[in-house]
Amino acid sequence: MEGKTYMKMTHTLTGIAALMALTFTTAAQGATVVYQSDFTGTTLASAGLTQKTFDVSSNYILNETDDRVEVSYAQSNDRGSLYTTNAWQSTDGFTLDASFNHIADGTRFSFGIVDSTWTVSGSRDWLNEGRAGAYGIGLSTDGEFAGSLAFNNGSSTSSLSTAQGNVTLNQLSTLSMTITGTGWSYSLNGQSATEDSFTFDTSKSYRFIAYTQDAAMNGTYFSNITLTAIPEPGTYALLGGLLALSYVMVRRR
């Protein structure tokens, strides 16, 4: 009898372990990288990027030698936007990871995610200036909201947090930002993440976008950009339920 009981318990735990393994696999698959580039290509198009600039002397260039996309402006008032050609929708939100170097103070520098239905401007900052229709969230390292995680609600911009502080000029920095329908969190250079509750429209499709202005920023660059659609919360709820079930069954045995 003890042998049969042991075998039943073994089979039960084996089945639970299999379900848990499937759940872990589902969670891993749920975190989908929708865009990633370390800029080892030869053109912006090969990196899945498009630019819109203020005039012919404004450019983002792909630096093949150093594997990065960087600002190249000829005049003090040159400006432009860089954005992913494609856009993506995730009802559970996104995580944006970016490595960047803000060379020097200019007029404006911001990057994040923006509603894909907005017509990208080459002359106006989507975040700092609160461009109408540019619904999105991101980091402003220069401009009206310098050193701030900021939010454009489609008509105006407000600061969500300045807790992570200003970016150190001419130093490679890393941003990690996660946004869901009910909250946000972000960190700079591996600091503990700052987070808060928040209402964000995850029914929209979003693309990565950056805006820079002024020739003082020449050489400012991104060396890596990754945009990930985060897993569905239901996956983790299932995992938690399986763990609780396994505990109860072992206790009963």
Side-chain angles (χ1 to χ4, degrees):
M1 181 65 69
E2 289 182 359
K4 290 182 179 179
T5 301
Y6 174 78
M7 288 299 293
K8 287 181 179 180
M9 183 174 69
T10 300
H11 287 311
T12 299
L13 292 178
T14 300
I16 291 173
L19 285 173
M20 288 173 63
L22 176 61
T23 304
F24 275 120
T25 300
T26 303
Q29 291 175 343
T32 304
V33 174
V34 294
Y35 177 81
Q36 196 281 326
S37 184
D38 55 6
F39 309 111
T40 55
T42 57
T43 64
L44 292 180
S46 69
L49 296 171
T50 301
Q51 66 174 313
K52 182 173 286 188
T53 53
F54 179 54
D55 55 35
V56 294
S57 61
S58 306
N59 281 290
Y60 288 89
I61 62 172
L62 198 148
N63 182 328
E64 296 179 60
T65 302
D66 299 313
D67 295 331
R68 62 199 195 195
V69 61
E70 61 186 48
V71 174
S72 177
Y73 293 161
Q75 303 175 53
S76 62
N77 200 33
D78 281 354
R79 62 193 88 165
S81 293
L82 179 75
Y83 55 99
T84 50
T85 307
N86 295 327
W88 304 270
Q89 192 269 337
S90 173
T91 55
D92 298 301
F94 295 95
T95 293
L96 172 65
D97 296 292
S99 299
F100 64 99
N101 190 340
H102 182 182
I103 296 294
D105 285 327
T107 305
R108 289 176 174 82
F109 179 34
S110 62
F111 63 94
I113 58 173
V114 69
D115 180 4
S116 64
T117 62
W118 179 62
T119 301
V120 175
S121 171
S123 61
R124 297 295 183 183
D125 189 337
W126 66 284
L127 189 63
N128 274 294
E129 298 179 275
R131 293 292 93 192
Y135 188 99
I137 183 172
L139 181 71
S140 173
T141 67
D142 211 345
E144 281 85 342
F145 295 91
S148 173
L149 186 74
F151 169 57
N152 182 341
N153 64 10
S155 59
S156 62
T157 299
S158 60
S159 173
L160 296 176
S161 173
T162 58
Q164 302 298 323
N166 287 314
V167 170
T168 301
L169 296 176
N170 200 19
Q171 175 178 300
L172 187 64
S173 300
T174 57
L175 168 78
S176 183
M177 176 186 76
T178 295
I179 178 71
T180 69
T182 58
W184 55 262
S185 67
Y186 80 117
S187 64
L188 278 173
N189 301 322
Q191 298 179 39
S192 297
T194 298
E195 59 185 51
D196 201 356
S197 58
F198 181 57
T199 300
F200 188 77
D201 189 350
T202 57
S203 69
K204 299 177 182 291
S205 293
Y206 292 92
R207 56 166 43 101
F208 170 84
I209 185 171
Y211 179 88
T212 49
Q213 184 170 339
D214 203 282
M217 288 190 180
N218 277 352
T220 291
Y221 66 83
F222 291 94
S223 58
N224 191 293
I225 299 169
T226 302
L227 185 62
T228 305
I230 63 176
E232 296 181 3
T235 298
Y236 296 108
L238 174 60
L239 177 58
L242 288 172
L243 288 171
L245 176 62
S246 65
Y247 173 77
V248 170
M249 296 190 75
V250 169
R251 290 281 295 174
R252 286 180 175 177
R253 294 295 180 187

